[in-house]
Amino acid sequence: MKKVVTLAIALFLIVFLVSTPSVRAEEEIQLEGAKIFQVQCAGCHPGGGNIIRRGKNLKQRAMRRNGMDSIAAVAEIVTNGKNNMSAFSDRLTPSEIEAVSAYVLDQAATGWR
């Protein structure tokens, strides 16, 4: 019985140690995305809105309707721009674009709270 408990504790510690870095990495990406959004995007998209074109906001319903419901889709428009949306490929690195795209999707899913 003592061996089973020791083995269970060891397995728990291994799982905890292996999973913790990915959680930290996700949190760091979210923090980076939030910072980038505040500097680069919030001027036109405060609280997930859009001061230029109301229907092109960053709310989940509008993003789904406009085909912006994946990191790849959001990253594409952030990178290359479209219509009134400026391109950011000259201002942000690919990892920064991915971070801000993930942040936008996460915020859309939680209603920008």
Side-chain angles (χ1 to χ4, degrees):
M1 180 69 172
K2 193 173 184 179
K3 286 183 181 180
V4 172
V5 171
T6 303
L7 181 61
I9 291 171
L11 285 173
F12 172 78
L13 288 173
I14 289 170
V15 168
F16 177 76
L17 292 174
V18 169
S19 66
T20 300
S22 66
V23 170
R24 286 187 193 136
E26 287 179 29
E27 288 174 358
E28 288 175 17
I29 290 170
Q30 283 295 310
L31 287 174
E32 180 183 15
K35 289 176 187 175
I36 294 166
F37 185 86
Q38 289 305 314
V39 172
Q40 301 291 337
C41 312
C44 292
H45 296 286
N50 187 329
I51 64 168
I52 297 172
R53 293 189 68 193
R54 287 186 337 188
K56 302 288 183 169
N57 61 57
L58 303 178
K59 309 292 178 151
Q60 192 169 39
R61 183 175 174 193
M63 291 183 70
R64 283 187 181 148
R65 180 181 63 240
N66 295 317
M68 294 290 131
D69 54 356
S70 70
I71 290 179
V74 176
E76 171 69 22
I77 199 166
V78 172
T79 301
N80 300 313
K82 183 176 179 183
N83 299 327
N84 293 336
M85 171 77 181
S86 299
F88 286 82
S89 60
D90 60 339
R91 292 176 254 180
L92 300 174
T93 66
S95 66
E96 290 172 327
I97 290 171
E98 187 172 333
V100 76
S101 299
Y103 173 77
V104 165
L105 285 176
D106 183 62
Q107 290 301 300
T110 61
W112 287 89
R113 295 182 188 152

